[in-house]
Coordinates of all heavy atoms in Angstrom, one line a residue:
M187 N 92.0 79.9 91.1 CA 92.3 80.7 92.3 C 91.5 80.0 93.5 O 90.4 79.7 93.3 CB 92.0 82.1 92.2 CG 92.4 83.0 93.4 SD 92.1 84.8 93.1 CE 93.7 85.2 92.5
N188 N 92.2 79.8 94.6 CA 91.6 79.2 95.8 C 90.9 77.9 95.4 O 89.9 77.5 96.0 CB 90.5 80.2 96.4 CG 91.2 81.4 97.0 OD1 92.2 81.3 97.6 ND2 90.5 82.5 96.9
G189 N 91.5 77.2 94.5 CA 91.0 75.8 94.1 C 89.9 75.8 93.1 O 89.3 74.8 92.9
G190 N 89.6 77.0 92.5 CA 88.5 77.1 91.5 C 88.9 76.5 90.1 O 90.0 75.9 90.0
E191 N 88.1 76.6 89.2 CA 88.3 76.0 87.8 C 89.1 77.0 87.0 O 88.9 78.2 87.1 CB 87.0 75.7 87.1 CG 86.1 74.7 87.8 CD 86.8 73.3 87.8 OE1 87.3 72.9 86.8 OE2 86.7 72.6 88.9
G192 N 89.9 76.5 86.1 CA 90.7 77.3 85.1 C 91.7 78.2 85.8 O 92.2 77.9 86.8
F193 N 92.0 79.3 85.0 CA 93.0 80.2 85.5 C 92.3 81.6 85.7 O 91.4 82.0 85.1 CB 94.0 80.4 84.4 CG 94.9 79.2 84.2 CD1 94.5 78.3 83.2 CD2 96.0 79.0 85.0 CE1 95.3 77.2 82.9 CE2 96.7 77.8 84.8 CZ 96.4 76.9 83.7
V194 N 92.9 82.3 86.7 CA 92.4 83.7 87.0 C 93.7 84.5 86.9 O 94.7 84.2 87.4 CB 91.8 83.8 88.4 CG1 91.6 85.3 88.7 CG2 90.6 83.0 88.5
F195 N 93.6 85.6 86.1 CA 94.7 86.5 85.9 C 94.5 87.7 86.8 O 93.4 88.3 86.8 CB 94.8 86.9 84.5 CG 94.9 85.8 83.5 CD1 93.8 85.2 82.9 CD2 96.2 85.2 83.3 CE1 93.9 84.2 82.1 CE2 96.3 84.1 82.4 CZ 95.2 83.6 81.8
A196 N 95.4 88.0 87.7 CA 95.2 89.1 88.6 C 96.5 90.0 88.8 O 97.6 89.5 88.8 CB 94.8 88.6 90.0
K197 N 96.3 91.3 88.9 CA 97.3 92.2 89.2 C 96.9 92.9 90.5 O 95.8 93.4 90.6 CB 97.5 93.3 88.1 CG 98.3 92.9 87.0 CD 98.5 94.1 86.1 CE 99.9 94.0 85.6 NZ 100.2 95.1 84.7
M198 N 97.8 92.9 91.5 CA 97.4 93.4 92.8 C 98.5 94.4 93.4 O 99.6 94.1 93.2 CB 97.2 92.3 93.8 CG 96.8 92.8 95.2 SD 96.4 91.6 96.5 CE 96.9 90.0 95.9
F199 N 98.0 95.4 94.0 CA 98.8 96.3 94.8 C 98.3 96.2 96.2 O 97.1 96.3 96.5 CB 98.8 97.7 94.3 CG 99.4 98.7 95.3 CD1 100.8 98.8 95.3 CD2 98.7 99.3 96.3 CE1 101.4 99.6 96.3 CE2 99.3 100.2 97.2 CZ 100.7 100.3 97.2
A200 N 99.2 95.9 97.2 CA 98.8 95.8 98.6 C 99.8 96.5 99.5 O 101.0 96.5 99.2 CB 98.7 94.4 99.0
D201 N 99.3 97.1 100.5 CA 100.2 97.7 101.6 C 99.5 97.4 102.9 O 98.5 96.7 102.9 CB 100.5 99.1 101.3 CG 99.4 100.1 101.4 OD1 98.3 99.7 101.9 OD2 99.5 101.2 100.9
D202 N 100.0 98.0 104.0 CA 99.4 97.8 105.3 C 98.0 98.4 105.4 O 97.2 98.0 106.3 CB 100.2 98.4 106.4 CG 101.6 97.7 106.5 OD1 101.7 96.6 106.1 OD2 102.5 98.3 107.0
N203 N 97.5 99.2 104.5 CA 96.2 99.9 104.6 C 95.1 99.2 103.7 O 94.0 99.6 103.9 CB 96.3 101.4 104.2 CG 97.3 102.1 105.2 OD1 97.1 102.0 106.4 ND2 98.2 102.8 104.7
G204 N 95.5 98.4 102.8 CA 94.5 97.7 102.0 C 95.2 97.2 100.7 O 96.4 97.2 100.5
K205 N 94.3 96.8 99.8 CA 94.8 96.3 98.5 C 93.7 96.7 97.4 O 92.6 96.9 97.7 CB 95.0 94.8 98.5 CG 93.8 94.0 98.7 CD 94.1 92.5 98.8 CE 92.9 91.6 99.1 NZ 93.2 90.2 99.2
I206 N 94.2 96.7 96.2 CA 93.4 96.9 95.0 C 93.8 95.9 94.0 O 95.0 95.7 93.8 CB 93.5 98.4 94.6 CG1 92.4 98.6 93.5 CG2 94.8 98.8 94.1 CD1 92.2 100.1 93.3
M207 N 92.9 95.3 93.3 CA 93.2 94.3 92.4 C 92.3 94.3 91.1 O 91.1 94.6 91.2 CB 93.0 92.9 93.1 CG 93.4 91.7 92.3 SD 93.6 90.2 93.2 CE 92.0 89.9 93.8
L208 N 93.0 94.0 90.0 CA 92.2 93.8 88.7 C 92.3 92.4 88.4 O 93.4 91.8 88.3 CB 92.9 94.7 87.6 CG 92.3 94.5 86.2 CD1 90.9 95.1 86.2 CD2 93.1 95.2 85.2
S209 N 91.1 91.7 88.2 CA 91.1 90.3 88.0 C 90.4 90.0 86.7 O 89.4 90.7 86.3 CB 90.3 89.6 89.1 OG 90.9 89.8 90.3
R210 N 90.9 89.0 85.9 CA 90.3 88.6 84.7 C 90.0 87.1 84.7 O 91.0 86.3 84.9 CB 91.2 88.9 83.5 CG 91.4 90.4 83.4 CD 92.4 90.8 82.3 NE 92.8 89.8 81.3 CZ 94.0 89.3 81.1 NH1 95.0 89.8 81.8 NH2 94.2 88.4 80.1
L211 N 88.8 86.7 84.6 CA 88.4 85.3 84.6 C 87.9 84.9 83.2 O 86.9 85.3 82.8 CB 87.3 85.0 85.6 CG 87.6 85.0 87.1 CD1 87.7 86.5 87.6 CD2 86.6 84.3 87.9
P212 N 88.7 84.0 82.5 CA 88.3 83.5 81.2 C 87.0 82.8 81.3 O 86.5 82.3 82.4 CB 89.4 82.6 80.8 CG 90.6 83.1 81.6 CD 90.0 83.5 82.9
Q213 N 86.3 82.5 80.2 CA 85.1 81.7 80.2 C 85.3 80.4 80.9 O 86.2 79.7 80.7 CB 84.7 81.5 78.7 CG 83.4 80.7 78.6 CD 83.1 80.4 77.1 OE1 83.9 80.7 76.2 NE2 82.0 79.8 76.9
G214 N 84.3 80.1 81.8 CA 84.4 78.9 82.6 C 85.2 78.9 83.9 O 85.2 78.0 84.7
A215 N 86.0 80.0 84.1 CA 86.9 80.1 85.2 C 86.1 80.4 86.5 O 85.1 81.1 86.4 CB 88.0 81.1 85.0
S216 N 86.7 80.1 87.6 CA 86.1 80.4 88.9 C 87.1 80.6 90.0 O 88.2 80.1 89.9 CB 85.1 79.3 89.3 OG 85.8 78.1 89.6
I217 N 86.7 81.3 91.0 CA 87.4 81.5 92.3 C 86.6 80.7 93.3 O 85.5 81.1 93.6 CB 87.6 83.0 92.7 CG1 88.3 83.8 91.6 CG2 88.3 83.1 94.0 CD1 88.3 85.3 91.8
D218 N 87.2 79.7 93.9 CA 86.5 78.8 94.8 C 86.2 79.5 96.1 O 86.8 80.5 96.4 CB 87.2 77.5 95.0 CG 86.3 76.3 95.3 OD1 85.1 76.4 95.2 OD2 86.9 75.3 95.7
L219 N 85.3 78.8 96.8 CA 84.9 79.3 98.1 C 86.1 79.6 99.1 O 86.9 78.8 99.2 CB 83.9 78.3 98.8 CG 83.3 78.8 100.1 CD1 82.3 79.9 99.8 CD2 82.6 77.6 100.7
H220 N 86.1 80.8 99.6 CA 87.1 81.2 100.6 C 86.5 82.3 101.5 O 85.4 82.7 101.3 CB 88.4 81.8 99.9 CG 88.1 83.0 99.0 ND1 87.4 82.9 97.8 CD2 88.4 84.3 99.2 CE1 87.4 84.1 97.3 NE2 87.9 85.0 98.1
W221 N 87.2 82.6 102.6 CA 86.7 83.5 103.6 C 87.5 84.8 103.6 O 88.7 84.8 103.4 CB 86.7 82.9 105.0 CG 85.6 81.9 105.1 CD1 84.4 82.1 105.7 CD2 85.6 80.6 104.6 NE1 83.7 81.0 105.7 CE2 84.3 80.0 105.0 CE3 86.5 79.8 103.9 CZ2 84.0 78.7 104.6 CZ3 86.1 78.5 103.5 CH2 84.9 78.0 103.9
H222 N 86.8 85.9 103.7 CA 87.5 87.2 103.9 C 87.6 87.5 105.4 O 86.6 88.1 106.0 CB 86.7 88.3 103.1 CG 86.9 88.2 101.7 ND1 87.8 88.9 101.0 CD2 86.2 87.5 100.7 CE1 87.8 88.6 99.7 NE2 86.8 87.7 99.6
T223 N 88.7 87.1 106.0 CA 88.8 87.3 107.4 C 89.4 88.6 107.8 O 89.2 89.1 108.9 CB 89.7 86.1 108.0 OG1 91.0 86.1 107.3 CG2 89.0 84.8 107.8
G224 N 90.2 89.2 106.9 CA 90.9 90.5 107.3 C 90.2 91.7 106.8 O 90.5 92.8 107.3
S225 N 89.3 91.6 105.8 CA 88.7 92.8 105.3 C 87.5 92.4 104.5 O 87.2 91.3 104.1 CB 89.7 93.5 104.4 OG 90.0 92.8 103.2
S226 N 86.7 93.4 104.1 CA 85.5 93.3 103.2 C 86.1 93.3 101.8 O 87.2 93.7 101.6 CB 84.5 94.4 103.4 OG 84.0 94.4 104.7
E227 N 85.3 93.0 100.8 CA 85.7 93.0 99.4 C 84.6 93.7 98.6 O 83.4 93.3 98.7 CB 86.1 91.7 98.9 CG 86.6 91.7 97.5 CD 87.3 90.4 97.0 OE1 88.2 90.0 97.7 OE2 86.8 89.9 96.0
V228 N 85.0 94.6 97.7 CA 84.1 95.2 96.8 C 84.6 94.9 95.4 O 85.8 95.1 95.1 CB 84.0 96.7 96.9 CG1 83.2 97.4 95.9 CG2 83.5 97.1 98.3
N229 N 83.7 94.4 94.5 CA 84.1 94.1 93.1 C 83.2 94.9 92.2 O 82.0 94.8 92.3 CB 83.9 92.6 92.8 CG 85.0 91.8 93.3 OD1 86.2 91.9 92.9 ND2 84.7 90.9 94.2
Y230 N 83.8 95.7 91.3 CA 83.1 96.4 90.3 C 83.3 95.6 89.0 O 84.5 95.3 88.6 CB 83.7 97.8 90.1 CG 83.1 98.5 88.9 CD1 81.8 99.1 89.0 CD2 83.7 98.7 87.7 CE1 81.2 99.7 87.9 CE2 83.1 99.3 86.6 CZ 81.9 99.8 86.8 OH 81.3 100.4 85.7
V231 N 82.3 95.3 88.3 CA 82.3 94.5 87.1 C 82.6 95.4 85.9 O 81.7 96.2 85.5 CB 81.0 93.6 86.9 CG1 81.2 92.7 85.7 CG2 80.7 92.8 88.1
V232 N 83.7 95.3 85.3 CA 84.1 96.1 84.1 C 83.5 95.5 82.9 O 82.9 96.3 82.1 CB 85.7 96.1 84.0 CG1 86.1 96.9 82.7 CG2 86.3 96.7 85.2
S233 N 83.5 94.2 82.7 CA 82.9 93.6 81.6 C 82.6 92.1 81.8 O 83.2 91.5 82.8 CB 83.8 93.7 80.3 OG 85.0 93.1 80.5
G234 N 81.8 91.5 81.0 CA 81.4 90.1 81.2 C 80.3 89.8 82.1 O 79.6 90.8 82.6
R235 N 80.0 88.5 82.3 CA 78.9 88.1 83.2 C 79.4 87.0 84.1 O 80.3 86.2 83.7 CB 77.7 87.6 82.3 CG 77.1 88.6 81.5 CD 75.7 88.1 81.0 NE 74.9 89.2 80.6 CZ 74.2 90.1 81.3 NH1 74.2 89.9 82.6 NH2 73.5 91.1 80.8
G236 N 78.8 86.9 85.3 CA 79.2 85.9 86.2 C 78.2 85.8 87.4 O 77.1 86.4 87.3
E237 N 78.7 85.1 88.4 CA 77.9 84.9 89.6 C 78.8 85.0 90.8 O 79.8 84.3 90.8 CB 77.1 83.6 89.5 CG 76.2 83.4 90.8 CD 75.5 82.1 90.7 OE1 76.1 81.1 91.1 OE2 74.3 82.1 90.2
A238 N 78.4 85.7 91.8 CA 79.1 85.8 93.1 C 78.2 85.1 94.1 O 77.0 85.2 94.0 CB 79.4 87.2 93.5
C239 N 78.8 84.3 95.0 CA 78.0 83.7 96.1 C 78.7 84.1 97.4 O 79.8 83.8 97.6 CB 78.1 82.2 95.9 SG 76.9 81.3 97.0
C240 N 78.0 84.9 98.1 CA 78.5 85.4 99.4 C 77.6 84.9 100.5 O 76.4 85.1 100.6 CB 78.5 87.0 99.4 SG 79.2 87.7 100.8
D241 N 78.2 84.1 101.4 CA 77.5 83.4 102.5 C 76.2 82.7 102.0 O 75.2 82.7 102.6 CB 77.1 84.4 103.6 CG 78.2 84.6 104.6 OD1 79.2 83.8 104.6 OD2 78.2 85.6 105.4
G242 N 76.4 82.0 100.9 CA 75.3 81.1 100.3 C 74.3 81.9 99.5 O 73.4 81.3 98.9
Q243 N 74.4 83.2 99.4 CA 73.5 84.0 98.6 C 74.1 84.3 97.2 O 75.0 85.1 97.1 CB 73.2 85.3 99.3 CG 72.2 86.3 98.7 CD 70.8 85.8 98.9 OE1 70.5 85.1 99.8 NE2 69.9 86.2 98.0
A244 N 73.5 83.7 96.2 CA 74.0 83.9 94.8 C 73.5 85.3 94.3 O 72.3 85.6 94.5 CB 73.5 82.8 93.9
E245 N 74.4 86.0 93.6 CA 74.0 87.3 93.0 C 74.7 87.3 91.6 O 75.8 87.0 91.4 CB 74.6 88.4 93.8 CG 73.9 88.6 95.2 CD 74.5 89.8 95.9 OE1 74.6 90.8 95.3 OE2 74.7 89.6 97.1
P246 N 73.9 87.8 90.6 CA 74.4 87.9 89.2 C 75.4 89.0 89.2 O 75.3 90.0 89.9 CB 73.2 88.2 88.4 CG 72.2 88.8 89.3 CD 72.5 88.2 90.6
L247 N 76.4 88.9 88.3 CA 77.4 89.9 88.0 C 77.3 90.3 86.6 O 77.2 89.4 85.7 CB 78.8 89.4 88.3 CG 79.2 88.9 89.7 CD1 80.6 88.3 89.8 CD2 79.0 90.1 90.7
A248 N 77.3 91.6 86.3 CA 77.3 92.0 84.9 C 77.9 93.4 84.9 O 78.1 94.1 85.9 CB 75.8 92.2 84.4
A249 N 78.4 93.8 83.7 CA 79.1 95.1 83.5 C 78.3 96.2 84.1 O 77.1 96.3 84.0 CB 79.3 95.3 82.0
G250 N 79.1 97.0 84.9 CA 78.5 98.2 85.6 C 77.9 97.9 87.0 O 77.6 98.9 87.7
L251 N 77.8 96.7 87.4 CA 77.4 96.3 88.7 C 78.5 96.3 89.7 O 79.7 96.0 89.3 CB 76.7 95.0 88.7 CG 75.4 94.9 88.0 CD1 74.8 93.5 88.1 CD2 74.3 95.9 88.5
C252 N 78.2 96.5 91.0 CA 79.2 96.4 92.0 C 78.7 95.4 93.1 O 77.5 95.4 93.4 CB 79.3 97.8 92.7 SG 80.7 98.0 93.7
H253 N 79.6 94.5 93.5 CA 79.2 93.5 94.5 C 80.0 93.7 95.7 O 81.2 93.9 95.7 CB 79.5 92.1 93.9 CG 79.1 91.0 94.8 ND1 80.1 90.5 95.7 CD2 78.0 90.4 95.1 CE1 79.5 89.6 96.4 NE2 78.2 89.5 96.1
Y254 N 79.4 93.6 96.9 CA 80.0 93.7 98.2 C 79.9 92.5 99.0 O 78.9 91.8 99.1 CB 79.3 94.9 99.0 CG 79.8 95.0 100.4 CD1 81.0 95.6 100.6 CD2 79.0 94.6 101.5 CE1 81.5 95.8 102.0 CE2 79.5 94.7 102.8 CZ 80.7 95.3 103.0 OH 81.1 95.5 104.3
C255 N 81.1 92.0 99.5 CA 81.1 90.9 100.4 C 81.8 91.3 101.7 O 82.9 91.7 101.7 CB 81.9 89.7 99.8 SG 81.7 88.2 100.7
P256 N 81.1 91.3 102.9 CA 81.6 91.8 104.1 C 82.7 90.9 104.8 O 82.8 89.7 104.5 CB 80.4 91.9 105.0 CG 79.4 90.9 104.5 CD 79.7 90.8 103.0
K257 N 83.5 91.5 105.6 CA 84.5 90.9 106.3 C 83.9 89.7 107.1 O 82.8 89.8 107.7 CB 85.1 91.9 107.3 CG 86.2 91.3 108.2 CD 86.8 92.4 109.1 CE 87.8 91.8 110.1 NZ 88.3 92.9 110.9
G258 N 84.6 88.5 107.0 CA 84.1 87.4 107.8 C 83.2 86.4 107.0 O 82.9 85.4 107.4
A259 N 82.8 86.9 105.8 CA 81.9 86.1 104.9 C 82.6 85.1 104.1 O 83.8 85.3 103.7 CB 81.0 87.0 104.1
S260 N 81.9 84.0 103.7 CA 82.5 83.1 102.7 C 82.1 83.6 101.3 O 81.0 84.2 101.1 CB 81.9 81.7 102.9 OG 80.5 81.6 102.8
Y261 N 82.9 83.3 100.3 CA 82.7 84.0 99.0 C 83.3 83.2 97.9 O 84.3 82.5 98.0 CB 83.5 85.3 99.2 CG 83.4 86.3 98.1 CD1 82.2 86.7 97.6 CD2 84.6 86.8 97.5 CE1 82.1 87.7 96.6 CE2 84.5 87.8 96.6 CZ 83.3 88.2 96.1 OH 83.2 89.2 95.1
S262 N 82.6 83.2 96.7 CA 83.1 82.6 95.5 C 82.6 83.3 94.3 O 81.6 84.1 94.4 CB 82.7 81.1 95.4 OG 81.3 81.0 95.2
I263 N 83.3 83.2 93.2 CA 82.9 83.9 92.0 C 83.2 82.9 90.8 O 84.1 82.2 90.8 CB 83.8 85.2 91.7 CG1 83.5 86.2 92.8 CG2 83.5 85.8 90.3 CD1 84.4 87.5 92.6
R264 N 82.2 83.0 89.8 CA 82.5 82.2 88.6 C 82.0 83.0 87.4 O 81.0 83.7 87.5 CB 81.8 80.8 88.7 CG 80.3 80.8 88.8 CD 79.8 79.4 89.0 NE 78.4 79.5 89.2 CZ 77.5 79.1 88.3 NH1 77.9 78.6 87.1 NH2 76.2 79.2 88.5
N265 N 82.7 82.7 86.3 CA 82.3 83.3 85.0 C 81.3 82.5 84.4 O 81.5 81.3 84.1 CB 83.6 83.4 84.1 CG 83.2 84.1 82.8 OD1 82.1 84.1 82.4 ND2 84.3 84.6 82.1
T266 N 80.1 83.0 84.2 CA 79.0 82.2 83.6 C 78.7 82.7 82.2 O 77.8 82.1 81.5 CB 77.7 82.4 84.5 OG1 77.3 83.8 84.5 CG2 77.8 81.9 85.9
G267 N 79.5 83.6 81.7 CA 79.2 84.2 80.4 C 80.1 83.5 79.3 O 80.8 82.6 79.5
Q268 N 80.0 84.1 78.1 CA 80.7 83.7 76.9 C 82.0 84.4 76.7 O 82.8 84.1 75.8 CB 79.8 83.8 75.7 CG 78.5 83.0 75.8 CD 78.8 81.5 75.9 OE1 79.6 80.9 75.2 NE2 78.2 80.9 76.9
E269 N 82.2 85.5 77.5 CA 83.4 86.3 77.3 C 84.1 86.4 78.7 O 83.6 85.9 79.7 CB 83.1 87.7 76.8 CG 82.2 88.5 77.7 CD 81.8 89.8 77.2 OE1 81.1 89.8 76.1 OE2 82.1 90.9 77.8
E270 N 85.3 87.0 78.7 CA 86.1 87.2 79.9 C 85.3 88.0 80.9 O 84.7 89.0 80.5 CB 87.4 87.8 79.5 CG 88.4 88.0 80.6 CD 89.7 88.5 80.1 OE1 89.7 89.7 79.7 OE2 90.7 87.8 80.2
L271 N 85.4 87.6 82.2 CA 84.8 88.4 83.3 C 85.9 89.3 83.9 O 86.9 88.7 84.3 CB 84.2 87.5 84.3 CG 83.6 88.2 85.6 CD1 82.5 89.1 85.3 CD2 83.2 87.1 86.6
V272 N 85.8 90.6 83.8 CA 86.8 91.5 84.3 C 86.3 92.2 85.6 O 85.2 92.9 85.5 CB 87.2 92.5 83.2 CG1 88.3 93.4 83.8 CG2 87.7 91.7 82.0
L273 N 87.0 92.1 86.7 CA 86.6 92.7 87.9 C 87.7 93.7 88.4 O 88.9 93.4 88.3 CB 86.4 91.6 89.0 CG 85.4 90.5 88.7 CD1 85.5 89.4 89.7 CD2 84.0 91.0 88.6
F274 N 87.3 94.8 89.0 CA 88.2 95.7 89.6 C 87.8 96.0 91.1 O 86.6 96.2 91.3 CB 88.2 97.0 88.8 CG 89.2 98.0 89.2 CD1 90.6 97.7 89.0 CD2 88.9 99.2 89.8 CE1 91.6 98.6 89.3 CE2 89.9 100.1 90.1 CZ 91.2 99.8 89.9

């Protein structure tokens, strides 16, 4: 996704007021650097391990954690674990 490694599986619902998405990143998959120009993004980690990088600041992702990336920030995610990384 956005030029990252491997495949990202995503289901999204979007309307004029916002969107909600369930994403699954297999082992080694990533979402390459992109910008959130229209909205902020919140990711709740359902399962797996990974790393989010928001405006150059790396943060670990693990089940039960929530990651916030504000509108206008650059952002990437990668699965660093041995199992699928699931984000909601």
Side-chain angles (χ1 to χ4, degrees):
M187 182 175 268
N188 294 321
E191 298 294 320
F193 294 95
V194 174
F195 304 94
K197 278 188 141 177
M198 179 178 12
F199 169 81
D201 65 15
D202 292 340
N203 298 311
K205 66 181 175 182
I206 190 165
M207 184 165 64
L208 178 66
S209 301
R210 297 176 17 239
L211 287 78
Q213 182 181 4
S216 65
I217 300 170
D218 206 11
L219 187 66
H220 61 287
W221 284 260
H222 286 268
T223 57
S225 65
S226 299
E227 184 167 305
V228 176
N229 281 297
Y230 174 77
V231 184
V232 177
S233 63
R235 294 197 165 277
E237 182 179 84
C239 190
C240 185
D241 277 346
Q243 181 78 24
E245 295 182 41
L247 300 175
L251 295 179
C252 196
H253 180 266
Y254 173 75
C255 190
K257 179 179 176 179
S260 63
Y261 187 52
S262 66
I263 294 178
R264 64 186 174 105
N265 181 339
T266 60
Q268 300 298 311
E269 62 184 62
E270 186 175 65
L271 176 61
V272 181
L273 306 169
F274 189 67

